[in-house]
């Protein structure tokens, strides 16, 4: 069967309008990429829930403290640069650096927005690495809604990218 014939199998032409038969479609939100819309067999709209892109940071290049063994140590100013991401309880996250790394890959989880504090905040250590390899990564599943704080350098290097993916819907 050629492409044109395959595309017309579930189509009926009604005087210039096309009716598409959806009754055999099996798409579900967890199989459709986030930001896309499709339709179920009954014609109802389905909005994708499958995450593919990295999360957008809540804050980038924060430099009013540093991560030390799961504690945010307030210090303003500092030579440390960190990114912060909002995360949800019981979601699985993949956390990574890219090809350009700094002197740190220290990640902590906290339920406190550390960008608003002027004191130390105790959280949970996810990873604590000095002089990380390119593409260094780890995974983490928080037990509460909160924030991942990724300290990426402590000698004033800006522009180090961090990546956080919500992998909860990945197979």
């Amino acid at each position: 069967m050629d492409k044109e014939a395959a595309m017309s199998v579930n189509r009926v032409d009604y005087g210039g309008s096309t009716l598409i038969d959806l009754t055999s479609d099996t798409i579900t939100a967890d199989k459709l990429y986030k930001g896309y819309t499709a339709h179920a067999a009954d014609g109802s709209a389905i909005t994708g829930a499958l995450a593919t892109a990295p999360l957008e940071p809540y804050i980038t290049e924060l430099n009013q403290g540093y991560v030390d063994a799961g504690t945010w140590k307030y210090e303003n100013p500092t030579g440390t640069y960190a990114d912060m991401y909002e995360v949800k309880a019981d979601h699985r996250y993949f956390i990574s650096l890219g090809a350009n790394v700094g002197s740190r890959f220290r990640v902590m989880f906290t339920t406190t927005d550390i960008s608003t504090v002027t004191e130390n905040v105790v959280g949970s250590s996810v990873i604590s690495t000095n002089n990380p390899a390119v593409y260094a990564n780890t995974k983490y599943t928080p037990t509460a809604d909160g924030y991942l704080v990724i300290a990426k350098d402590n000698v004033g290097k800006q522009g180090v990218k961090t990546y956080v993916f919500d992998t909860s819907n990945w197979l």
Side-chain angles (χ1 to χ4, degrees), residues 132-145:
V134 298
Y135 305 111
N137 62 76
T138 191
K139 45 191 175 173
Y140 184 70
T141 304
T143 57
D145 291 354

Side-chain angles (χ1 to χ4, degrees), residues 46-130:
I46 297 174
T47 301
L50 182 61
T52 57
L55 300 178
E56 289 293 323
Y58 174 65
I59 294 176
T60 60
E61 306 293 359
L62 179 67
N63 75 334
Q64 60 189 36
Y66 59 95
V67 175
D68 183 21
T71 298
W72 176 255
K73 303 263 180 117
Y74 178 78
E75 182 180 299
N76 192 9
T78 182
T80 298
Y81 286 91
D83 293 343
M84 196 162 92
Y85 294 84
E86 290 182 283
V87 293
K88 296 180 182 178
D90 303 318
H91 282 234
R92 294 182 313 268
Y93 294 95
F94 178 79
I95 308 157
S96 181
L97 296 175
N100 175 25
V101 298
S103 61
R104 298 285 187 262
F105 183 40
R106 294 183 178 179
V107 181
M108 69 176 281
F109 170 78
T110 178
T111 56
T112 303
D113 180 346
I114 53 97
S115 70
T116 64
V117 300
T118 57
E119 58 193 28
N120 294 352
V121 174
V122 176
S124 301
S125 180
V126 175
I127 190 171
S128 185
T129 303
N130 296 337

Side-chain angles (χ1 to χ4, degrees), residues 153-168:
D153 189 72
N154 76 330
V155 292
K157 182 178 180 182
Q158 295 180 339
V160 173
K161 300 283 187 201
T162 60
Y163 303 91
V164 175
F165 295 86
D166 184 342
T167 63
S168 300

